[in-house]
Amino acid sequence: MATPRTWRLAGTALVLMAAGAQAQTAQQPSPYAIEGCASGCFVLKERGAAIYTGADAASYRICSRSSLGAEVSVDSAVVRLSNRDCTDVNGRAIVLNAGEIALGRLPR
């Protein structure tokens, strides 16, 4: 028969294991939660839509919202996003070529 001290040790061990399990199962933030948005986040799906044009370069986090991916032009260079992938871009002319994206301006 177990003694009260054995039960306390077993209970303490279970509490410690539960705390360790909780620490290990912490969820990572979603790539769609664009924490660095300075001016808010929005969805864009109009082909040829200008995301940004300006004299100074600006940075955006862009995420494909479709399993088909998306394509963005950054200063005339093509950036392709695969199935629900995200990337950060920086440029003076950023245009959506194809697909549907979620994007937000990153802080300077």
Side-chain angles (χ1 to χ4, degrees):
M1 182 174 222
T3 65
R5 181 169 187 249
T6 305
W7 285 111
R8 276 185 295 207
L9 289 174
T12 302
L14 285 174
V15 169
L16 290 173
M17 286 189 327
Q22 289 173 353
Q24 292 174 355
T25 59
Q27 289 184 330
Q28 296 297 320
S30 166
Y32 294 101
I34 304 174
E35 304 86 10
C37 291
S39 303
C41 299
F42 56 98
V43 173
L44 189 61
K45 59 183 175 180
E46 184 179 332
R47 183 179 178 155
I51 296 167
Y52 176 81
T53 55
D56 296 326
S59 297
Y60 284 85
R61 175 157 300 148
I62 300 175
C63 300
S64 169
R65 291 182 39 93
S66 165
S67 60
L68 301 174
E71 184 177 286
V72 177
S73 174
V74 180
D75 295 337
S76 299
V78 174
V79 176
R80 289 185 177 88
L81 296 144
S82 60
N83 178 13
R84 300 191 187 276
D85 198 11
C86 292
T87 190
D88 293 349
V89 297
N90 182 16
R92 291 183 178 91
I94 306 171
V95 178
L96 175 63
N97 294 342
E100 182 175 338
I101 58 173
L103 69 145
R105 183 128 184 217
L106 295 172
R108 295 182 185 254

